[in-house]
Amino acid sequence: MRVVKGSRGFLAFVVVAAVATAAHGAAYSPRDLLTYRPHLPGVECDTPTDQAGIDACKVETVTNAEKRGVGYLLRDGQGKILRRFVIAHGHARLDQWSYFQDGFEVYREDDLDGDRQLDECRWLNAGGSRIALLEVGKIKSWKRISPEEASKVLVQALVARDNDLLATVMATPEELKAAGLPREFVEKAQAALANRPAKLAELAKSLVGWSKATIWNRFDGTYPHLIPADPSVGLEKDLTLYENAMIFPTVAGAQQATAKMAFLQIPDLIELGSAWKFVSLPHAIDPDKPVIAASDGLRSMLFDKPEAVAGRDEAMDVALKTLADYDAQNAALLQSGDKEKIAQYHHDRIPLVRDVVKHAKSAEDELNYNKQVVDSLIAALRTGFYPKAKSLLEAIVAEGGKLGSYSAYRLIEVDFAMKSEEPGSNVLSNQKKWMSELEAFLAKHPTSDEAPDVLLQLASASEFNADEDKAREHYARLVKDYATSEASKKAAGALKRMDLVGKVFVAKGSGLAGETIDSVQARGKTLLVVFWATWASPVRADLPELIKVYQKYHPRGLEVIGVNLDNDRAEVDRFLKESKIPWAQIFEGGGMESRLATEFGIFSLPTMFLVDGEGKVVTTAPRTAAELDRQLEKTLAAKSAAADRNTRPAVDR
């Protein structure tokens, strides 16, 4: 393998015979692989710096199913993975770079189209959940980003004075229009674009205590609100948003006091598909005068009731600020990896959160802040230095109620995670115990808020383990006992999918040009329905072979309908232009929670349904182009034989 410079400046790897022949990656030393770092700043991953730590590392060759070398794996002296650089998208050179922390992948970069330029990066596990699309090495847009991560990007953009990065987390007028907001609000947003540079300059002057060392510390939004569609005020669709959320900063390394730093108030942060974005710029709040600004957000505009979003009272402000200051002062500690000190941090944080609970104005607020107490106990327990946390959590469980069930569920989660991390851990045994405990949770807390999601986890895990009877049992219970939950809708779809073989398949939806695509139009031909998304790596890797299968069988009567489960229409258009997929696509937005994904209980991609000329499902089993090829050969051969029998002249007897 040799290393070359990418055409747009990032380092790309070109794989030659060395990958296939190098014994355990001997062609490259640990220092060679540690030379390469994440392209984007701010990624936290394990990187040994002392010579002894580097010398203890080992390089291994990653092989595929055919035992051919496809990349390299770097482990530290304890066997934990540090780096994984592989061919993941079917190209002639390495096209995926993964970085790890504590043995788990936290960040990944992909060259999806093989042009030696990064196209996508993802944060995973403890790194977060966001997915960014890149262009010329910079973040162009977000395929997925949570409210907390959007607030972190906002702080990074304000500190760096990076207007392009800021724009990626600001809702555009076009997005607001698509979200169903009134025309006058969209026009207001359009006008605000022209004033944004001046507003940014004004905001910068208000950021007391901020510097180049300022980093994000905490997002405080309590819980999201939903404003239902209301034609009387011009709101065409339901809106999910945070109102008057807070963002608290700190200083990298905690080298100075953070109590004097301005924090931010966000009028509105709204959900747009799988991405959360800000509707307007934040207000900077003077730490010496923590007076919450009057609401100037969506609700105020829609209903002309500024009082509808009341500011927090003074006692709550003080309690929140005390908590925020404590978190800010300990930000560096949380990044240190010192488990004993981290346990102490969470222990000392609990009374501060309970002080906030005392000033909560509603039962919902009280519950959500009490859940933070539980979360701190869980975090302290997981360090291994505060075993007493388990008895405290069990006491909360014993008290019952919504907080008790939440604590019981979190205990099951943390127990499974801790056992899975033990040296020599038995994965199958751990999973069996985890599922057994989830079953017991359901028996004890059948009406809890967590119950539907727990049952859906059990159902999907059972289906993944090929225990279809148990999966059906769980899905059916979800449908019967939790009919009003979102999980119930997905479960009903899963049951429908599992029983499709031999039944007539009917599905229709909107195409990319606004046309109606209907599976009935393919009657008389063999039809393949493919649920897919541009972000699904197995889809991307197998797509060239799937196109070859289509080209092979299309002359024999095969038609294909794609059901795309992306949220970003622009990304779909870009991908289709590059990949030249020859079949029609249904696209309705909503991703894995979209109408058809829910209707057929889709949990993994790709999912394929093969339908015969009579409109009946032949199989839902194929996951790869190779499996599909074998099934099509059988299906079309049977169809041809049947046609021969029907056209053969009768024999006189």
Side-chain angles (χ1 to χ4, degrees):
M1 188 177 87
R2 61 191 175 88
V3 179
V4 299
K5 194 76 170 180
S7 60
R8 291 298 180 93
F10 83 94
L11 287 170
F13 291 79
V14 178
V15 178
V16 293
V19 175
T21 60
H24 304 292
Y28 288 90
S29 70
R31 186 174 291 279
D32 290 333
L33 297 189
L34 288 171
T35 300
Y36 302 100
R37 303 294 178 90
H39 181 72
L40 295 179
V43 176
E44 298 174 8
C45 60
D46 289 335
T47 303
T49 55
D50 62 291
Q51 190 59 48
I54 295 173
D55 291 342
C57 294
K58 294 182 180 179
V59 180
E60 302 173 6
T61 298
V62 178
T63 59
N64 60 15
E66 289 75 34
K67 305 300 182 183
R68 296 184 61 185
V70 293
Y72 297 104
L73 191 74
L74 177 66
R75 297 182 186 272
D76 67 11
Q78 285 72 48
K80 288 185 178 180
I81 302 175
L82 299 175
R83 303 286 188 271
R84 186 174 184 268
F85 302 151
V86 298
I87 300 172
H89 306 296
H91 302 124
R93 58 184 64 84
L94 295 186
D95 52 22
Q96 185 177 93
W97 299 262
S98 297
Y99 299 83
F100 292 71
Q101 188 174 53
D102 296 327
F104 293 93
E105 185 180 10
V106 292
Y107 179 73
R108 178 189 301 175
E109 296 177 339
D110 286 278
D111 172 13
L112 300 172
D113 53 17
D115 65 351
R116 304 188 191 183
Q117 299 181 48
L118 293 181
D119 303 304
E120 181 179 286
C121 61
R122 302 183 66 182
W123 286 258
L124 308 110
N125 291 298
S129 63
R130 56 193 146 144
I131 304 175
L133 300 178
L134 305 178
E135 189 172 272
V136 196
K138 295 185 65 177
I139 296 174
K140 174 187 175 184
S141 62
W142 296 97
K143 184 181 294 186
R144 180 176 69 209
I145 188 168
S146 67
E148 296 82 357
E149 291 168 300
S151 71
K152 183 173 185 176
V153 172
L154 175 71
V155 170
Q156 291 173 337
L158 292 176
V159 170
R161 301 292 191 268
D162 189 335
N163 292 337
D164 291 338
L165 181 60
L166 177 66
T168 67
V169 290
M170 299 294 297
T172 66
E174 293 76 16
E175 289 172 328
L176 296 174
K177 180 179 179 181
L181 289 169
R183 176 176 54 82
E184 58 268 27
F185 192 85
V186 175
E187 292 175 350
K188 179 182 177 182
Q190 186 68 54
L193 284 176
N195 296 326
R196 186 176 291 172
K199 290 290 185 181
L200 273 173
E202 181 181 338
L203 175 61
K205 295 177 182 178
S206 305
L207 297 176
V208 177
W210 285 45
S211 69
K212 292 293 185 182
T214 299
I215 60 173
W216 176 89
N217 179 62
R218 183 179 180 80
F219 171 85
D220 180 11
T222 310
Y223 59 92
H225 299 167
L226 186 141
I227 301 179
D230 189 343
S232 68
V233 296
L235 185 61
E236 299 174 2
K237 302 177 182 179
D238 290 355
L239 283 179
T240 303
L241 72 162
Y242 282 94
E243 297 176 320
N244 287 341
M246 299 292 177
I247 303 174
F248 295 96
T250 187
V251 175
Q255 297 299 311
Q256 66 182 67
T258 56
K260 296 296 183 180
M261 297 180 68
F263 54 97
L264 303 174
Q265 178 197 11
I266 307 300
D268 290 304
L269 177 60
I270 68 173
E271 185 179 29
L272 299 170
S274 294
W276 285 78
K277 294 193 175 184
F278 301 94
V279 175
S280 58
L281 291 174
H283 303 297
I285 307 299
D286 190 324
D288 292 325
K289 302 174 184 178
V291 178
I292 306 304
S295 174
D296 56 356
L298 273 168
R299 190 185 297 275
S300 174
M301 185 280 297
L302 288 171
F303 303 103
D304 194 25
K305 294 179 180 178
E307 69 278 6
V309 184
R312 296 183 177 90
D313 61 29
E314 184 177 348
M316 175 62 94
D317 290 341
V318 172
L320 284 172
K321 185 174 184 299
T322 301
L323 178 62
D325 289 345
Y326 176 78
D327 287 342
Q329 292 159 8
N330 289 280
L333 184 152
L334 293 175
Q335 300 170 11
S336 69
D338 188 327
K339 293 184 177 182
E340 186 172 6
K341 290 182 178 179
I342 290 173
Q344 189 65 48
Y345 156 79
H346 284 291
H347 173 275
D348 295 344
R349 186 176 187 272
I350 291 170
L352 303 181
V353 179
R354 285 180 170 153
D355 190 42
V356 175
V357 172
K358 289 191 298 185
H359 302 291
K361 297 298 184 184
S362 67
E364 290 83 2
D365 282 354
E366 184 176 344
L367 175 62
N368 279 286
Y369 281 115
N370 270 321
K371 284 182 177 179
Q372 286 196 29
V373 173
V374 172
D375 293 342
S376 281
L377 286 170
I378 289 290
L381 176 62
R382 187 163 184 177
T383 65
F385 284 93
Y386 190 45
K388 184 182 176 181
K390 186 169 185 178
S391 62
L392 295 175
L393 286 161
E394 289 171 341
I396 296 174
V397 172
E399 291 177 5
K402 289 180 177 292
L403 190 63
S405 65
Y406 178 75
S407 302
Y409 179 53
R410 292 302 316 276
L411 271 171
I412 294 172
E413 285 184 319
V414 74
D415 182 63
F416 178 57
M418 292 175 72
K419 280 185 167 53
S420 298
E421 293 169 359
E422 292 176 356
S425 174
N426 187 313
V427 176
L428 293 178
S429 177
N430 288 341
Q431 187 188 56
K432 184 177 180 180
K433 182 176 182 294
W434 168 70
M435 295 180 71
S436 175
E437 290 177 345
L438 289 180
E439 292 270 16
F441 176 92
L442 284 171
K444 191 171 184 179
H445 306 283
T447 61
S448 66
D449 293 341
E450 297 77 28
D453 287 334
V454 168
L455 197 50
L456 192 63
Q457 284 188 59
L458 282 168
S460 58
S462 297
E463 188 177 359
F464 182 79
N465 291 337
D467 189 348
E468 289 199 2
D469 290 341
K470 181 60 72 173
R472 289 175 187 274
E473 178 184 329
H474 290 319
Y475 286 136
R477 182 181 172 189
L478 251 175
V479 173
K480 178 184 176 183
D481 296 346
Y482 305 94
T484 60
S485 69
E486 289 300 313
S488 172
K489 298 176 184 177
K490 198 80 169 182
L495 286 172
K496 177 180 179 178
R497 168 176 49 76
M498 294 175 76
D499 289 331
L500 274 178
V501 175
K503 295 182 179 178
V504 174
F505 177 85
V506 177
K508 64 180 178 180
S510 299
L512 293 168
E515 78 281 19
T516 297
I517 298 175
D518 192 336
S519 62
V520 174
Q521 296 168 344
R523 289 289 168 82
K525 297 184 177 182
T526 300
L527 173 66
L528 175 69
V529 180
V530 183
F531 289 83
W532 71 287
T534 63
W535 47 262
S537 296
V539 173
R540 287 180 174 271
D542 205 38
L543 183 59
E545 296 305 313
L546 189 60
I547 292 176
K548 290 178 182 178
V549 170
Y550 170 80
Q551 293 168 339
K552 176 180 178 181
Y553 292 102
H554 181 59
R556 297 170 60 182
L558 174 68
E559 297 294 342
V560 179
I561 294 176
V563 182
N564 179 268
L565 301 184
D566 278 273
N567 285 293
D568 187 343
R569 167 63 188 273
E571 171 62 16
V572 178
D573 290 340
R574 183 188 71 81
F575 184 84
L576 291 175
K577 183 178 180 180
E578 293 175 352
S579 60
K580 296 180 173 56
I581 296 177
W583 50 82
Q585 303 293 335
I586 292 176
F587 177 83
E588 296 182 344
M592 295 296 285
E593 306 307 318
S594 62
R595 179 180 63 86
L596 288 176
T598 300
E599 182 179 339
F600 292 101
I602 306 301
F603 291 100
S604 62
L605 301 178
T607 293
M608 295 188 254
F609 303 155
L610 190 61
V611 183
D612 65 19
E614 296 180 354
K616 295 181 179 180
V617 176
V618 176
T619 180
T620 62
R623 292 290 176 178
T624 66
E627 293 173 4
L628 177 65
D629 191 1
R630 290 192 291 270
Q631 182 63 55
L632 277 169
E633 195 62 56
K634 294 178 183 178
T635 300
L636 292 177
K639 178 182 177 181
S640 177
D644 288 344
R645 287 195 298 271
N646 291 334
T647 58
R648 189 179 302 155
V651 178
D652 292 332
R653 292 180 182 272

